[in-house]
Amino acid sequence: MTEAFGLYTHIRANRIRSGVLLLGFVVLIHALLFSLILAANALGGGSFEQILNASTRQFSRSWPLAGLGALAWLAIAFFTHQRLISAATGAKAVTRREMPELYNELEALCISRGMTMPTLQIIETPALNAYAAGIKDGDYVVAVTRGLIETLDPQEVRAVLAHELTHIRNRDTQLMVVAVIFAGIFAFFGDMIIRGWDFPYGLSPSSKRQRESNTGWGSSTSGNDSRSGRDKGGGALLALAIAVVIILISWGLSTLIRFALSRSREYMADAGSVELTKNPDAMISALQKISKQATFDVPSRMEAFFIENPVSQRITGLLATHPAIEDRIAALEKYAGGKRAEPRTA
């Protein structure tokens, strides 16, 4: 992947990553189709060579269907991604009349940078968090939690809104939507496959019994027929194992989409907030407060959208979607001249 240095290379890198993810989605859906064909033929029995040849012939006739399926899902995701995200996070749109101060603040920030006003949404939770989403003008969304509005002071809320607008300006939201909604379908499909598989021990007991009845295992036949049955059973098992490996690789690659979500996006969004508000101290104090109460119930694959990871069982290391709050505050102190708020004494 292209490594980003500065704003414009960051935006270009996001576009390249989005294109690679979309291309990878098309490739993986064809791999998934072949694995399903291979598994279906393996269940019918036969030698490995027979199963592989039959699967290859069937795939050569049916691969355009996988392409059409990929295009259909991309079209559906394009028009429904915002509704899917809002349903997953519980965000509801609000108007100027309902939240005049918050709406006017967001509008003022947009006017200062010549941006189209995104839809403002509220998540009814006492947690302190926020996110931005969308792929083009007219469907961008900035959502904040009720707890964030009620806990942070106006300058801190303004800093958070500027942070989320920077994600839109930097095209981070496009990459996150592509990664989670467009290409993330494989992760959900893989989860379903693993639930039906006694991983890592092999087939579940019911599947083993069915396989034994289909292949004649446990029978008392002897001679050439018995050897032939074992050969066919072995070939079918090998084909089935390959199919499962392909499915698991597809699921694993879709999970590794986290690598495409560079954690530098949060540092740059923090810096963008300071650029818009000229108030690094507000961004620092907002992060300090958010870090104490960011967790609430959202799907685990949605955590990358938020200003801080809302999932309680946080992943660390290379697969982490966010840098540590302490590291972000240290960067604001070093490069933006910000200062932490002095702790209040009783």
Side-chain angles (χ1 to χ4, degrees):
M1 288 293 179
T2 302
E3 190 169 355
F5 299 95
L7 176 60
Y8 294 105
T9 49
H10 179 80
I11 294 173
R12 186 175 70 247
N14 278 345
R15 288 172 174 166
I16 293 173
R17 291 186 183 109
S18 297
V20 170
L21 287 176
L22 290 175
L23 179 61
F25 168 76
V26 175
V27 172
L28 287 177
I29 205 169
H30 283 84
L32 185 60
L33 173 65
F34 179 77
S35 67
L36 294 176
I37 292 174
L38 189 63
N41 287 328
L43 292 175
S47 67
F48 176 74
E49 185 177 358
Q50 291 172 334
I51 295 171
L52 184 61
N53 290 337
S55 300
T56 302
R57 289 194 302 270
Q58 293 171 20
F59 178 76
S60 65
R61 294 194 299 266
S62 59
W63 71 263
L65 295 177
L68 291 176
L71 292 176
W73 170 245
L74 293 178
I76 293 171
F78 182 84
F79 290 107
T80 66
H81 68 273
Q82 208 55 266
R83 286 194 288 272
L84 293 172
I85 293 170
S86 297
T89 60
K92 305 292 183 184
V94 294
T95 63
R96 188 194 303 271
R97 177 174 297 181
E98 294 169 313
M99 305 271 315
E101 294 182 0
L102 186 66
Y103 193 99
N104 290 340
E105 189 65 74
L106 182 61
E107 185 179 54
L109 288 170
C110 291
I111 291 173
S112 70
R113 286 297 181 267
M115 297 177 62
T116 302
M117 175 76 175
T119 300
L120 178 62
Q121 294 184 338
I122 301 296
I123 306 172
E124 296 294 344
T125 173
L128 279 60
N129 226 313
Y131 74 86
I135 57 176
K136 63 181 178 63
D137 284 340
D139 71 0
Y140 287 121
V141 162
V142 170
V144 296
T145 63
R146 181 70 64 181
L148 185 138
I149 300 169
E150 295 177 349
T151 305
L152 271 57
D153 66 37
Q155 293 299 315
E156 292 165 346
V157 172
R158 188 168 188 258
V160 170
L161 293 176
H163 174 103
E164 299 306 334
L165 286 178
T166 302
H167 278 311
I168 294 175
R169 293 174 64 203
N170 292 355
R171 303 297 188 269
D172 294 327
T173 58
Q174 292 180 356
L175 176 60
M176 288 187 288
V177 169
V178 169
V180 176
I181 304 299
F182 284 70
I185 184 175
F186 282 101
F188 293 106
F189 184 85
D191 290 342
M192 293 173 60
I193 292 293
I194 288 180
R195 288 191 188 97
W197 188 265
D198 191 17
F199 185 81
Y201 302 107
L203 287 172
S204 61
S206 61
S207 299
K208 288 179 180 177
R209 287 193 296 269
Q210 182 180 358
R211 178 61 45 76
E212 290 172 2
S213 64
N214 290 340
T215 58
W217 292 359
S219 64
S220 58
T221 55
S222 58
N224 293 334
D225 289 342
S226 177
R227 264 194 317 274
S228 176
R230 285 195 298 270
D231 292 342
K232 292 180 179 179
L237 277 180
L238 178 59
L240 187 62
I242 292 174
V244 171
V245 167
I246 294 174
I247 292 173
L248 292 177
I249 289 175
S250 299
W251 171 75
L253 290 176
S254 66
T255 300
L256 292 180
I257 283 173
R258 292 174 185 270
F259 281 116
L261 303 177
S262 171
R263 286 173 290 176
S264 65
R265 74 187 190 282
E266 294 301 333
Y267 290 113
M268 298 194 71
D270 291 341
S273 173
V274 174
E275 180 195 4
L276 278 170
T277 64
K278 306 298 187 290
N279 192 348
D281 295 354
M283 189 70 246
I284 289 175
S285 58
L287 289 174
Q288 287 178 309
K289 293 178 180 179
I290 289 170
S291 66
K292 298 175 182 177
Q293 196 178 338
T295 303
F296 69 107
D297 186 24
V298 295
S300 62
R301 299 186 190 280
M302 296 296 300
E303 75 263 27
F305 286 89
F306 288 85
I307 190 171
E308 170 60 348
N309 193 336
V311 180
S312 57
Q313 295 181 342
R314 181 184 178 123
I315 296 176
T316 59
L318 290 175
L319 290 180
T321 57
H322 292 72
I325 288 287
E326 185 61 32
D327 293 340
R328 293 165 65 178
I329 292 174
L332 289 170
E333 289 178 320
K334 181 177 181 180
Y335 299 108
K339 295 181 180 179
R340 301 171 194 250
E342 293 295 332
R344 296 180 179 180
T345 57

